[in-house]
């Protein structure tokens, strides 16, 4: 009798091989348990969907201000300080830094309210300071977008006043 004669029935005693017929038979014997588990999982999913509130996130990308956007501020500093006025690149960095700090403070304030609001600011590209991604979570898409635009405008006006 050779080695190939030992495996006449198609089944092997090798522990690394899986007998598919045996596996299917075991699954068939446990079909009631499998069906009950699937039905329970579907019922839980439907129940969650029925009670979960929709949340919509609006995201905006904030980039460094263009030279034209801070030209009047730059001109005023040139008149006041003359040759010792800061360079445009320093002003751009200063403006975006103040915006980021002010927006982070607003996000913390909103998070600490009695009814917290989810506003966040983070780096859009990991490892790079700019651009910034600001996000707001609202109950509807329109509400999230409107509120985020309002918070950006509010922060922008505050930074402009400070400068």
């Amino acid at each position: 009798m050779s080695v190939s004669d030992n495996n006449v029935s198609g089944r092997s005693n090798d522990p690394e091989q899986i007998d598919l017929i045996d596996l299917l038979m075991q699954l068939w014997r446990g079909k009631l348990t499998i069906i009950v588990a699937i039905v329970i999982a579907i019922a839980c999913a439907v129940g969650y969907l029925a009670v979960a509130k929709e949340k919509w996130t609006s995201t905006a990308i904030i980039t460094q201000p263009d030279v034209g956007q801070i030209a009047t501020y730059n001109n005023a500093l040139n008149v006041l300080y003359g040759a010792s006025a800061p360079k445009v690149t320093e002003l751009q960095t200063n403006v975006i830094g103040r915006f980021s700090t002010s927006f982070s403070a607003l996000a913390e304030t909103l998070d600490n309210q009695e009814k917290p609001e989810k506003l966040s600011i983070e780096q859009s590209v990991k490892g790079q300071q700019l651009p910034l991604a600001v996000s707001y979570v609202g109950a509807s898409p329109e509400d999230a977008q409107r509120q985020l635009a309002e918070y950006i405008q509010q922060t922008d006006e505050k930074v402009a006043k400070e400068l």
Side-chain angles (χ1 to χ4, degrees):
M1 183 179 242
S2 70
V3 175
S4 61
D5 293 337
N6 192 20
N7 196 10
V8 173
S9 67
R11 297 185 181 195
S12 172
N13 292 332
D14 188 2
E16 291 186 21
Q17 291 186 352
I18 297 174
D19 186 4
L20 292 179
I21 295 173
D22 186 41
L23 179 64
L24 289 175
M25 293 303 292
Q26 287 180 13
L27 288 173
W28 185 253
R29 283 191 297 262
K31 68 182 175 254
L32 184 61
T33 305
I34 294 170
I35 291 171
V36 168
I38 290 172
V39 168
I40 290 173
I42 291 173
C44 288
V46 168
Y48 172 76
L49 290 174
V51 298
K53 294 180 183 178
E54 285 186 334
K55 292 183 180 180
W56 295 86
T57 303
S58 181
T59 303
I61 304 297
I62 307 295
T63 60
Q64 185 167 307
D66 293 331
V67 175
Q69 292 174 311
I70 59 171
T72 55
Y73 181 57
N74 185 33
N75 292 339
L77 289 178
N78 284 334
V79 168
L80 289 173
Y81 296 107
S84 64
K87 296 178 183 171
V88 174
T89 54
E90 292 172 10
L91 290 177
Q92 290 172 314
T93 304
N94 189 15
V95 168
I96 198 69
R98 283 182 182 236
F99 182 89
S100 176
T101 303
S102 187
F103 205 83
S104 294
L106 177 61
E108 285 292 319
T109 301
L110 293 175
D111 194 38
N112 291 328
Q113 295 181 113
E114 190 172 310
K115 185 181 175 190
E117 295 181 54
K118 180 71 173 139
L119 180 68
S120 64
I121 183 169
E122 55 193 33
Q123 297 171 338
S124 181
V125 179
K126 299 294 180 201
Q128 294 182 7
Q129 186 180 1
L130 292 173
L132 299 172
V134 293
S135 301
Y136 180 79
V137 177
S140 71
E142 296 82 15
D143 179 49
Q145 192 172 26
R146 180 186 52 76
Q147 198 63 43
L148 179 61
E150 198 175 294
Y151 287 142
I152 291 172
Q153 183 66 32
Q154 176 184 336
T155 305
D156 188 44
E157 289 172 1
K158 181 180 177 185
V159 168
K161 237 185 234 183
E162 289 175 359
L163 293 173

